Amino acid sequence: MEVTKICCIGAGYVGGPTMAVIAQKCPHIQVTVVDLNEQRIKDWNDPDTNNIPIYEPGLSEIVAEARGRNLFFSTEVEKAIDEAQVIFISVNTPTKTYGKGKGMAADLKYIELCARQIAKVAKENKIVVEKSTLPVRTAEAIKSILDNTGNGVQFQILSNPEFLAEGTAVTDLLNPDRILIGGDTTPEGEAAINALVDVYANWVSKDKILTTNVWSSELSKLTANAFLAQRISSINAMSELCEKTGADVNEVAKAIGMDTRIGPKFLKASVGFGGSCFQKDILNLVYIAKSYGLNEVADYWEQVIIMNDHQKRRFSNKIVQTLYNTVADKKITFLGWAFKKDTNDTRESAAIYVADDLINEQAKISVYDPKVSRNKMLADLNYLESRSVEENNNAILAFDNPYDACKGSHAISILTEWDEFTAYDWQKIYDSMHKPAFLFDGRNILNAKELESIGFVYKGIGS
Ligand code: UDX
Ligand code: ADP
C-alpha cells in the first residue's frame, strides 16, 4: 500500500515537529495535524511562522515551506481521520493525578478518547500508529477498543516511538539514530509495518529502520529514557560526593567518558533533569514492574527519580545555607526557567521546584528566560498548589533582559544552559548586585575562575 494521506492527532511538541518533517520530506503525502485545542491550531496557522506555538531551531522554516502545500493544521478531527490511511496518535499521556496508579501510571484517557473517535469515524481499513510514549501493552487496549466499537473495518496498530529531544527536534528528526516500528507478525501486520517503513525511507536509510514486535517497541522507548535518565542521576550522585571530597565532577565525567564503553554523552552534572519524558516514563516503568510483582526491579529504577528530587532540593538548600541561612525578602535571580536550552518547554523543569523551595523561605524570585513568559512561570508554580495564586504572583518577577533581572539581587542561579548566558557582561552584572554577590551555576556553564576574579562567590555543581 502506498501512503498518500496521513493524519496526526495532537499538535504538541511531538506531533507538530514530526509531521512538519514528514511533510517536508514527502511532498507526495498530504499530512494533516489535528488538535482539539483551537488556539493551538490557530497558532500553528499563524501567517508569520515565527509565531508557531513551539519553538525549535529550524522548525519555522520547515513549516513555512510545507504548510499549505501538503502540511495542514486543523481542528476538524473527524474529517482528517476519515480521509487518512495512516493515523498517528500523538496526544499527551501525563502521569495520573487521581485514582489507581496516582502519581505513577500514565493517564491514558486521551489515548482512549482518540481510539474511540477513530473507531466511530473509520469506514475503511486504517493503520493506527502510537507515537506518544505509552506503557507496554497499550496497543492491545487500543486494538480492543477499535475492534469492539468500530464499524467492522480492519485496524493495524503499530508502535513507532519518537526519540527526538526538545531543542534539537529538527536535526533529530532529519537525522535519527534509528527509527523503530513495532507491529503484528501476521501478513497484515507486516504489510502495515512496510507501509510505514516506506514513508521514513524517503529520507532515512533502511539500515536505520528497525522493525520489531509491538511490545519490544513500546518497552524500548521506556528503556531508552530510563537509561538516559539513569546516567544523569549517576553523575549527579557523584557530584555530591565530589563537593565533599574536593574532586571536580566535570573532570570525573571527562575521565570516565573517554572510556569507549561508557561514552561521553549524558554525563553532565546538573541541578536535575526535567522535561516531559524522563520522570513520567520511569514512574511508568516502576508502576509496570510493581504490577507484575517485580519489586526489586521497581525499586532499582525508582532510585533514579529519588536521586533527581534530592539533587533539586540540595541545590535550593545550598542557596539558603550559603546566604547565611536566610533568604527572606532577598532578591534571587534565576537565569533560565525552561527545562533545557533552545526550548520554551518548562514541563518538570528544575527551576519550578527550586523556586518553590525558595518562595517557601520567603525569597523574591526574579527571572529572565529568553523564551518563557511570566504567565507560564506562574502557571507552573500554581500547578504545584503550594500556596495561593496571589502569593505566587507576588513572589515572581519576570524581566525581558538579564541585566534588569540581576540588578540589586543577592544571588544569581543558573537553571537553564542557554548559550547567551556565557556572553553576558558579568562585570556589569556584578557591579549592580548586593555584595557579597553569589552565583550558583546549576549547569556548570560559566567560567568559575573568571567570575571569581571579578569578585563573585561562585558555586557550581560538584566542585
Ligand atoms: C528526552 C530523550 O532524550 C528523548 O530521546 C525522548 O524522546 C524524550 O526525552 P528531552 O526530555 O527533550 O528528551 O531532553 P534531553 O536532552 O534528554 O534532556 C532531559 C533533561 O536532562 C534536561 O533537563 C537536561 O538538561 C538534562 N540533562 C541532560 C542533564 O542534566 N545532563 C545531561 O548530561 C543531559
Ligand atoms: P507531547 O509532548 O506528547 O507532544 P503535548 O501536550 O505537547 O504533548 O501535545 C499533545 C496535544 O494533544 C495537545 O495539544 C492536546 O490538545 C492534544 N489532544 C489531546 N487529546 C486529544 C484528542 N482526543 N483529539 C485531538 N487532540 C488531542
Side-chain angles (χ1 to χ4, degrees):
M1 181 189 81
E2 206 208 335
V3 177
T4 54
K5 283 190 178 165
I6 288 177
C7 151
C8 172
I9 308 179
Y13 281 93
V14 174
T18 310
M19 292 305 128
V21 167
I22 292 183
Q24 188 206 29
K25 292 295 176 184
C26 311
H28 56 288
I29 300 178
Q30 182 184 311
V31 180
T32 307
V33 191
V34 292
D35 203 297
L36 295 173
N37 183 334
E38 284 179 19
Q39 185 60 44
R40 211 165 208 186
I41 292 299
K42 207 168 150 232
D43 292 343
W44 277 110
N45 282 322
D46 195 300
D48 179 354
T49 54
N50 287 315
N51 297 334
I52 55 176
I54 285 165
Y55 172 72
E56 280 290 339
L59 181 61
S60 75
E61 290 82 353
I62 292 182
V63 171
E65 178 188 334
R67 198 179 59 191
R69 179 188 74 189
N70 65 325
L71 174 65
F72 303 92
F73 294 91
S74 156
T75 49
E76 291 183 282
V77 179
E78 299 201 346
K79 178 166 177 273
I81 292 174
D82 179 39
E83 289 178 351
Q85 301 133 327
V86 177
I87 301 157
F88 285 83
I89 302 185
S90 207
V91 302
N92 36 336
T93 52
T95 304
K96 272 186 90 173
T97 52
Y98 55 88
K100 189 160 179 277
K102 180 180 170 182
M104 302 283 282
D107 191 339
L108 297 182
K109 69 179 174 201
Y110 304 109
I111 297 278
E112 176 166 347
L113 265 171
C114 285
R116 290 192 185 275
Q117 202 159 17
I118 296 170
K120 188 178 105 192
V121 174
K123 292 189 266 331
E124 287 158 16
N125 296 351
K126 308 261 179 213
I127 298 174
V128 177
V129 186
E130 295 178 347
K131 200 64 171 154
S132 322
T133 310
L134 294 166
V136 187
R137 302 220 164 239
T138 303
E140 204 164 53
I142 298 180
K143 184 156 181 56
S144 158
I145 293 168
L146 289 173
D147 288 347
N148 291 302
T149 57
N151 305 313
V153 300
Q154 294 291 312
F155 293 103
Q156 282 301 321
I157 322 289
L158 301 180
S159 158
N160 171 221
E162 186 45 67
F163 294 101
L164 69 83
E166 289 177 29
T168 52
V170 170
T171 43
D172 292 346
L173 285 163
L174 291 174
N175 243 323
D177 287 345
R178 77 311 208 178
I179 296 288
L180 182 57
I181 303 174
D184 278 354
T185 45
T186 57
E188 296 81 8
E190 276 163 14
I193 292 176
N194 288 336
L196 191 56
V197 168
D198 289 342
V199 172
Y200 284 107
N202 281 296
W203 78 98
V204 181
S205 74
K206 283 228 169 142
D207 57 336
K208 286 192 172 173
I209 307 180
L210 221 68
T211 61
T212 64
N213 76 37
V214 180
W215 321 128
S216 301
S217 165
E218 287 181 335
L219 187 59
S220 299
K221 170 69 189 196
L222 292 184
T223 309
N225 278 345
F227 270 60
L228 291 169
Q230 182 206 42
R231 285 174 68 97
I232 302 168
S233 276
S234 298
I235 199 70
N236 282 345
M238 299 323 287
S239 75
E240 190 170 12
L241 191 58
C242 286
E243 286 171 28
K244 293 279 179 230
T245 58
D248 177 333
V249 77
N250 298 319
E251 292 176 354
V252 173
K254 188 167 182 197
I256 64 166
M258 284 171 76
D259 185 323
T260 51
R261 295 167 302 175
I262 296 175
K265 293 182 181 163
F266 272 72
L267 286 181
K268 223 173 158 12
S270 68
V271 53
F273 59 74
S276 70
C277 288
F278 284 173
Q279 171 157 320
K280 179 189 80 179
D281 288 353
I282 294 176
L283 288 174
N284 200 350
L285 191 62
V286 169
Y287 182 74
I288 293 168
K290 278 195 181 143
S291 70
Y292 286 104
L294 308 178
N295 294 327
E296 290 77 7
V297 177
D299 290 349
Y300 176 77
W301 286 109
E302 193 168 15
Q303 207 56 42
V304 175
I305 301 288
I306 293 172
M307 187 64 223
N308 197 51
D309 287 339
H310 170 68
Q311 188 76 350
K312 290 181 269 188
R313 177 118 315 136
R314 195 167 84 72
F315 188 76
S316 44
N317 284 344
K318 189 168 197 164
I319 295 177
V320 177
Q321 274 165 17
T322 311
L323 270 66
Y324 317 108
N325 286 316
T326 175
V327 288
D329 296 323
K330 289 183 181 164
K331 177 174 167 181
I332 299 185
T333 303
F334 280 24
L335 292 180
W337 188 270
F339 82 97
K340 62 186 276 196
K341 72 173 180 178
D342 293 340
T343 177
N344 60 349
D345 193 351
T346 62
R347 287 177 289 182
E348 291 302 328
S349 179
I352 303 168
Y353 298 93
V354 176
D356 190 49
D357 284 350
L358 295 176
I359 296 171
N360 281 343
E361 295 291 331
Q362 304 190 347
K364 298 272 181 250
I365 310 291
S366 111
V367 195
Y368 167 73
D369 185 291
K371 291 287 173 195
V372 181
S373 68
R374 180 170 187 267
N375 282 346
K376 190 108 165 253
M377 296 166 196
L378 283 173
D380 289 337
L381 278 171
N382 290 335
Y383 187 76
L384 298 183
E385 295 182 349
S386 307
R387 64 192 73 73
S388 72
V389 170
E390 199 192 339
E391 285 170 302
N392 281 333
N393 214 2
N394 290 333
I396 293 276
L397 289 159
F399 291 86
D400 57 14
N401 85 74
Y403 297 96
D404 290 341
C406 295
K407 204 167 173 180
S409 78
H410 292 81
I412 295 172
S413 43
I414 308 281
L415 276 308
T416 312
E417 72 281 23
W418 287 101
D419 289 337
E420 64 172 66
F421 296 167
T422 57
Y424 290 168
D425 181 344
W426 284 99
Q427 180 70 57
K428 182 171 160 192
I429 290 176
Y430 176 81
D431 291 342
S432 75
M433 286 175 67
H434 269 276
K435 305 295 172 329
F438 295 95
L439 212 166
F440 298 90
D441 188 351
R443 297 289 183 168
N444 290 347
I445 53 170
L446 300 176
N447 185 324
K449 285 213 172 70
E450 234 171 77
L451 291 159
E452 278 164 356
S453 74
I454 290 175
F456 277 104
V457 180
Y458 177 92
K459 295 202 181 283
I461 297 270
S463 60

